[in-house]
Amino acid sequence: MDQSRHQELVAKANQFIEAHHNEVNKQSYPHYHLAPRYGWINDPNGFCYALGKYHIFYQFYPYDAKWGPMHWGHATSTDLIHWQHELVALAPSEDYDRDGCFSGSAIEHDGKLYLIYTGHKVLVEAGDDSIAREVQALAVSTDGVHFEKLGVVIEPEDEGIHNFRDPKVWKDETGLFHVVFGATNLKHEGEIRQYTSHDLMHWELVSVIKEMEDNAFMYECPDFFEVNDHKWVLATSPMGQAPVGYNRQNPSVNSWQSGSFDGKSFTPDTKLYEVDHGHDFYATQSTSTPDGRRIVLAWMNMWKLPFLNYSHHWCGALTLPREITYKNGHLYQAPVKEAQSLRLSEHHVDAADSTLKSTFKTLTSNAATELQFSFKPDENSAEQYGIAIGNSIRLFVDRQTKTLTLFRLDLNATSYRALPIAWDQEHKLQIFIDNSSIEVFIDDGHDTMTSNFFGTDHTVSLYATNGQAEFKGLTVYDLERPLFGA
Ligand code: FRU
């Protein structure tokens, strides 16, 4: 294959970013979450440890802060927290990926780094992405930075299949490669397919590991991996499922379930449940670390919910990497232990100062902050208590609905998400605030809530309305800002 057009388009994107990244408005720019130097990002792609370091790629439109023909951006790290921006890895250049190099994954093989991604070609007028030809394609790099395209490796068996994307690759202990990806079959039902290969070039359909459930017409970005106790976890981003109670309130939902896998069929032993209960969390991708941990991260935005205004010249960030553990039939996610290296200072607030009665108290105005505290709902009389960030966020325990609620108050983005909590148990919160985002880890990651906000007042306060509340063991950390000036 002639690589020159691809190289030309990658160089063009790199030059554009270099020439324009100083124009980015940093007002809402993350201090320690990975975001683009310029332009738009969505899904994390190609998350792996390869050639001696961690790599994260992402869906990337380098020319504007809006979704456009997808490139793959790239960053590397040795500790999952301090990232270095790398050159653009992929640009749409061939007929089969002319409208975008869509999501996919990466794997090291024979000392080289391979990317398997979806080539997206719109079949009707440009801009209507619903009628497209999608194929899985391969690219390879020997230095982990410059990639050569190797062409199409999996095609749909019928031209009537338009959703056929987001391959996630792994290698089993026999050396056989597997991918799973999502498709909409000819009956308009979502399914997740599994293919295998001995050389990454030639693939064979082995099975459909998930069929449509609750009207999901497509499963975007599936991920499938083994955890302890021989359990397997299927993580998916189903499209088309209706909200149920406090669940699935987002336009697209990230969910996972555990079960057993015999090489062909996945037999779930749990229902699909939501990975995160905030507004902005989608398209998870996981990898395993050299020391055997399973780490997941996600795009910290949501289709069809408000985005940062494109006049800022950047949009989108990735969540903190989270370690997954499987305990008592439940998947926990906690910030990776390396996140502690961000802490610059630690401040313990004593009990007298962390017990509030119908009042509001400023805690910090640092836009890069970690907070920890516990509370026992049945010991507190306040109607509502929690933290406020400027006029943008209220994260509170609500006595009437018995929920932990994350309320975004920004004009044009006003909306809340809520999570029912046990009333007679102590709960622990670990909260990361980063200029325009909040990530909340509840009870050591039993649940999480992740949302963006748009206001510019970062003052973090505690409050209790109409009654008393105790924020036990309250600790405030000022965090480093490694990515702000990158
Ligand atoms: C999920 C998704 C993927 C697709 C990519 C395109 O957010 O729609 O299915 O590959 O984004 O950018």
Side-chain angles (χ1 to χ4, degrees), residues 42-43 59 67 70 102-103 118 165-166 218 220-221 282-283 299 303:
N42 53 284
D43 315 351
Q59 289 287 279
W67 191 84
M70 282 288 113
F102 273 19
S103 284
T118 298
R165 60 174 176 273
D166 306 341
M218 169 66 184
E220 293 192 310
C221 302
Y282 195 58
W299 176 37
W303 296 119

Side-chain angles (χ1 to χ4, degrees), residues 12-79:
K12 184 178 161 210
N14 287 324
Q15 281 155 17
F16 183 88
I17 299 162
E18 218 33 66
H20 293 278
H21 75 96
N22 286 333
E23 294 158 25
V24 161
N25 176 342
K26 295 264 169 131
Q27 181 181 289
S28 299
Y29 199 82
H31 293 186
Y32 57 92
H33 286 78
L34 186 65
R37 292 179 78 206
Y38 190 96
W40 161 279
I41 78 173
N42 53 284
D43 315 351
N45 294 155
F47 188 26
C48 64
Y49 185 87
L51 311 178
K53 51 188 170 181
Y54 293 102
H55 295 256
I56 187 74
F57 301 82
Y58 46 83
Q59 289 287 279
F60 183 36
Y61 185 57
Y63 299 107
D64 207 341
K66 294 175 181 169
W67 191 84
M70 282 288 113
H71 295 52
W72 275 36
H74 184 199
T76 54
S77 171
T78 51
D79 69 356

Side-chain angles (χ1 to χ4, degrees), residues 96 102-103 117-121 129-130 132-137 152-167 179-186 191-195 203 205 217-222 239:
Y96 60 83
F102 273 19
S103 284
Y117 69 98
T118 298
H120 179 77
K121 174 173 162 182
D129 282 277
S130 60
R133 184 165 201 275
E134 298 192 319
V135 295
Q136 315 322 330
V152 175
V153 292
I154 305 177
E155 293 180 296
E157 68 282 6
D158 190 291
E159 294 303 313
I161 294 180
H162 301 303
N163 290 317
F164 191 74
R165 60 174 176 273
D166 306 341
V179 286
V180 287
F181 59 85
T184 304
N185 64 24
L186 293 173
E191 58 185 36
I192 297 176
R193 296 172 167 208
Q194 182 198 192
Y195 289 63
W203 293 89
L205 175 62
F217 65 86
M218 169 66 184
Y219 292 97
E220 293 192 310
C221 302
M239 299 168 87

